[in-house]
Amino acid sequence: MNKLLGSIIVFWMALSAFSQTQTIDQSVEELLQKMTLEEKIGQLNQYSSDWNQTGPMTINPNKQTEIKNGQIGSMLNVIGTTYTRQYQELAMQSRLKIPLLFGLDVIHGYKTTFPLPLAEAASWDLPAIELSARIAATEASAAGIHWTFAPMVDIARDPRWGRVMEGAGEDTYLGSKIAYARVKGFQGDGLGNLNSVMACAKHFAAYGAAVGGRDYNSVDMSERMLWETYLPPFKAAVDAGAATFMNSFNDINGIPATGNAYIQRDILKGKWNFQGFVVSDWGSIGEMINHGYVTDAKDAARAAITAGSDMDMESNAYRYHLAQLVAENKISIELIDDAVRRVLRKKFELGLFEDPFRYSDPDRQNAAIFNPEHAKIARDIAAKSIVLLKNEKQILPLSKETKSIAFIGPMVKLKRANHGFWAIDLKDVDSTYIVSQWEGLQNKVGKNTKLLYAKGCDIESTDKSGFAEAIKVAKKADVVIVSIGEKHNMSGEAKSRSNIGLPGVQEDLLKELQKTGKPIVVLINAGRPLVFNWTADNMSTILYTWWLGSEAGNAIADVLFGDYNPSGKLPMTFPRDEGQIPIYYNHYNTGRPAKDDQDKIYVSSYIDLPNSPKFPFGFGLSYTTFQYSDLKLSQNQMNSDEVIEVALKLSNTGKYAGAEVVQLYLKDKTGSVVRPILELKDFQKVSLAAGETKTIYFKIDKEKLSFFNQKLDWVAEPGSFELLIGASSADIRLRANFELTN
Ligand code: BGC
């Protein structure tokens, strides 16, 4: 009886969900029938407010009129309940009262900021990453934002590219998991819930492979690399239900992504059956003229809409040319209708037709923004994002009884910089809310600890006049903490660097401080992997602290004093030198692999540089130590319907509780196309008390053994595999072999 009732309820729920989608589709059709061509085109047109420069409602009067005329479907950079309401009121004066969509780059938090996305990736903590996106969505949606232009899911193997800070690093598997988590976090329980925003997977596609790491540059890439390395995180975003995609500025093998039908129509909307809409990147439709792919804005509009770009961000190409293209039969009305349907469907799903103002809620905004609970979570994920690179003399964790600490360096007292690049314009945010590194330390230590400060030098200048004071201060202290790095806006969009060293005289300052003989802890703040060989070779204690957001100072202090035992692992390979770039752990073996860094005779190596990186992918230390043992496979052979169960023991052999990211790599020994020397295929972050041992389980199935064959079919080929379990891609602790039979 109960079972029957259960089935009836499930059936009824399925039916009502079905009829709900029916209703949205029907509503979309009904509305479409009523729309003039100009109104349809309006839905595909997105402008930015000029909020950033001059204040919210100074938008030029023509644009206000255009909104009232239904000629604009979406705005970006309209921030806060007051302004989103004011704009929406203009849209409500249009004939069909179609609400505006408000989009914004909520990249790593709205007002409560979280670590840079790359830093967060170093946590390898998927629930925490999802939660940070969830909180960003909660705050942004309360302020009237419907749509974030995130997550960026571009794989990045070139740290010269400034936008590495915005993604999840170099690895396709980790990147796909994080893409999925971030989309889920932003969209929560689904569009229509008041605290959900639409996610936007960007930049489609292959933007991270810009030649030479120079932003906006061309991408020349094999189909294999595209499918194997760059597309999977986008597919993961589709699987997670991403509502929208953004295309990219680059050309891919000669075709600009914005005008690329193969990418947008064949793959995204075809093979992957993506039902959301695609927005162009800022001006990328018009930029196809510069690419030399189209003759003028009209031609650009034709190429973009034909290729599957649904919404025009700031090119004005659709607004002024689509109608004429239809009139001249250069594009069909069906193309426009398809794009408009996709946009309207999302507006319906968000519930904007029921109440266009439903997200702009001042009370909810006040409650959500700067909610202390959000700050607590931001602090937690910031601590989880820090990577301990060296702790040779066990200087860390510091004792809270330390009598005097000198905190030296240009980053120590910075406030807003802790947000890093891509923080919402925070003009209206009281800067006391941001916890500087200095304040974090002050909050942590008791009255008996004396804190001393010296700036030492600037980040970039060559002026060494502050060294003397820094040395004086260092000499008075029991421990010296030095906070250096690259400026917060040296990574980000259009922030490519040809030299990724520590800027200015910061390393010279360290050299002088070293002469004091005091124990030194180095904090490196950056949005990318930097090259800092002298520091890495001569300093015993290094924490990579990225840019950690609102709670940076507290999180750093938590790690310094052992209230959080560092567990971060690098999501990108750190090179020894720019000459090694692009550098990534999962490369092919080549016909002449070097045995080691000394092997240079007619093998694939540099005569002036080792092949190995300075710090490998997946690397990161803890205050405790972990031992891996007892690897057991349920069987050494499997067919493609079977699963091998893997078990191993992980023991915390040190003095502190801690968490380890156990990484599972596979090597396919022979393939019909060559395979990487190893590939991450699974991981688990495991917490252990001091002295504790846990058994960890993984499963190997056909999916984990599959790859794109010569025809780019996704297949698992019979043959021998090696299983490698490690603490990083270069620190493999356990190995086993197994066979796939058929
Ligand atoms: C960036 C996008 C961003 C857009 C809107 C572009 O320059 O490439 O990632 O979403 O601007 O701000």
Side-chain angles (χ1 to χ4, degrees), residues 636-702:
N636 292 326
Q637 276 198 345
M638 63 181 269
N639 65 37
S640 42
D641 296 327
E642 289 176 324
V643 166
I644 294 182
E645 314 266 353
V646 178
L648 66 121
K649 287 202 173 122
L650 182 73
S651 307
N652 180 344
T653 47
K655 288 191 300 215
Y656 302 93
E660 170 73 326
V661 179
V662 178
Q663 300 160 43
L664 183 152
Y665 295 89
L666 288 177
K667 176 176 170 52
D668 187 346
K669 291 188 187 165
T670 318
S672 59
V673 296
V674 297
R675 308 302 311 130
I677 57 160
L678 75 172
E679 289 178 281
L680 184 74
K681 288 291 176 181
D682 212 340
F683 63 87
Q684 276 180 49
K685 189 160 185 172
V686 184
S687 296
L688 291 177
E692 194 187 0
T693 295
K694 273 187 189 162
T695 305
I696 316 296
Y697 300 94
F698 292 103
K699 281 188 167 64
I700 295 175
D701 58 10
K702 181 184 167 193

Side-chain angles (χ1 to χ4, degrees), residues 588-610:
Y588 299 144
N589 203 30
T590 80
R592 294 189 178 195
K595 279 194 299 296
D596 53 43
D597 281 344
Q598 269 63 54
D599 187 9
K600 302 213 175 283
I601 312 296
Y602 292 103
V603 293
S604 180
S605 65
Y606 301 101
I607 56 171
D608 57 352
L609 200 64

Side-chain angles (χ1 to χ4, degrees), residues 494-571:
K495 300 292 184 286
S496 296
R497 292 179 66 193
S498 63
N499 173 327
I500 55 170
L502 283 165
V505 291
Q506 298 179 95
E507 224 162 33
D508 296 333
L509 174 64
L510 277 184
K511 287 177 191 168
E512 293 307 315
L513 291 171
Q514 191 196 30
K515 292 181 192 156
T516 65
K518 298 285 178 178
I520 299 179
V521 178
V522 183
L523 310 179
I524 300 184
N525 307 268
R528 54 155 67 82
L530 294 178
V531 170
F532 46 98
N533 290 315
W534 185 89
T535 303
D537 295 342
N538 294 283
M539 293 284 114
S540 68
T541 318
I542 305 173
L543 286 166
Y544 214 75
T545 56
W546 317 97
W547 291 111
L548 294 171
S550 311
E551 286 287 321
N554 283 335
I556 289 172
D558 287 343
V559 167
L560 286 171
F561 290 89
D563 289 333
Y564 185 82
N565 183 354
S567 62
K569 301 272 189 177
L570 299 176

Side-chain angles (χ1 to χ4, degrees), residues 115-116 119 411 414 417-418 420 486-488 525-527 545-549:
L116 299 180
M411 310 298 196
L414 297 181
N418 290 291
E486 64 172 9
K487 257 167 103 174
H488 73 285
N525 307 268
T545 56
W546 317 97
W547 291 111
L548 294 171

Side-chain angles (χ1 to χ4, degrees), residues 76 105 149 163 202-203 246 249 281-282 313 422 493:
L76 70 150
D105 292 287
F149 302 125
R163 295 194 85 167
K202 70 188 189 185
H203 305 82
M246 183 185 290
F249 290 121
D281 203 345
W282 183 296
M313 182 194 285
W422 274 129
E493 183 173 348

